[in-house]
Amino acid sequence: MNLYPIETGNFKLDGGAMFGVVPRTIWQRTNPADANNQIDIAARSLLVEDGNRLILIDTGMGNKQSDKFFSYYSLWGDHSINRSLAKFGFHRDDITDVFMTHLHFDHCGGSVQWNKDRSGFEPAFKNARFWTNKAHWEWANDPNSREKASFLKENLLPMQESGQLHFIARENNGFIEKSELGFGIHFVDGHTEKQMLPQIRYKGKILVFVADLVPTVGHIPLPYVMGYDTRPLLTLNEKGAFLSEALENDYYLFFEHDAHNEICSLKSTEKGARLNETYNFNELF
């Protein structure tokens, strides 16, 4: 097995929304804001090369939305899926599976693109199976008012209409030891219904793709919960349980949204789990 960090693009989000009830005077120590109160955000995917399978975990925003849409998110930098894949010798047509932690636009928008004459949309990975889970798919296609702006039909329906959509089979507990894609999956419901966090054993270490459960290193303390979460008190409990497990088992956290830190380890303190060290991918592996 080989793993590759894939940078799909960077954007900005309101710092207050990203940290909920935590005051700016506290969260800006780890996540400094600009004059518009926005903080740097990454859309970092992970590519898993396992035998004859090439699995891409999340796909970023994509590029099919309008200029007006993207203006809300202050895009910056020059990353893209195509350039990141090419850096490691791959092309999007090589991807066999796309695993989506959840279906908010900044996690799955890159899964779908315009067709050639821009008359409609098509899967952006023509040879891939697209993986979500049934409960989250149903949640995303009948969205509540709070999340409606994050679940975009043009990101969802083309995957189903193409016949490339598949569902992860799950048990009643919150963790699958080994999924159809070969890695473990944590299920968490605080941010959105049935978000999935891949857990991968790699070169003697356990790496967890923490998606929106722990968006950045600044979100490690328990009360630092996003205003975007649909069930913030549930996130508090889920994060607490996960961080305890991470400390016990020496998990390394792979960040999707931290623009300046790819991976971290944790340490136990009297205040709970805290940041130990940060790593670039190549430093750790």
Side-chain angles (χ1 to χ4, degrees), residues 209-228:
F209 188 100
V210 288
D212 280 350
L213 179 65
V214 190
T216 74
V217 296
H219 289 85
I220 293 172
L222 281 183
Y224 292 45
V225 172
M226 290 191 293
Y228 298 112

Side-chain angles (χ1 to χ4, degrees), residues 2 13 17 22 26 61 72 80 95 112 120 134 156 163 172 179-180 193 207 214 220 232 237 239 248 255 264:
N2 292 302
L13 287 175
V22 179
I26 296 177
M61 285 190 184
Y72 299 138
S80 73
I95 304 299
V112 173
K134 187 175 181 181
L156 308 181
N172 292 327
S179 68
E180 294 91 329
E193 181 76 4
L207 190 70
V214 190
I220 293 172
N237 292 334
K239 188 165 72 165
E248 183 178 349
F255 292 106
C264 87

Side-chain angles (χ1 to χ4, degrees), residues 162-226:
S162 70
Q164 293 170 245
L165 181 68
H166 295 263
F167 294 139
I168 294 288
R170 68 178 298 270
E171 301 171 2
N172 292 327
N173 58 27
F175 181 68
I176 294 177
E177 185 71 32
K178 188 174 183 179
S179 68
E180 294 91 329
L181 297 175
F183 47 70
I185 299 173
H186 297 266
F187 285 84
V188 287
D189 298 304
H191 178 61
T192 188
E193 181 76 4
K194 300 297 177 291
Q195 179 183 195
M196 300 188 291
L197 312 180
Q199 177 171 305
I200 303 170
R201 293 184 177 272
Y202 184 58
K203 295 187 177 181
K205 297 179 174 63
I206 300 175
L207 190 70
V208 182
F209 188 100
V210 288
D212 280 350
L213 179 65
V214 190
T216 74
V217 296
H219 289 85
I220 293 172
L222 281 183
Y224 292 45
V225 172
M226 290 191 293

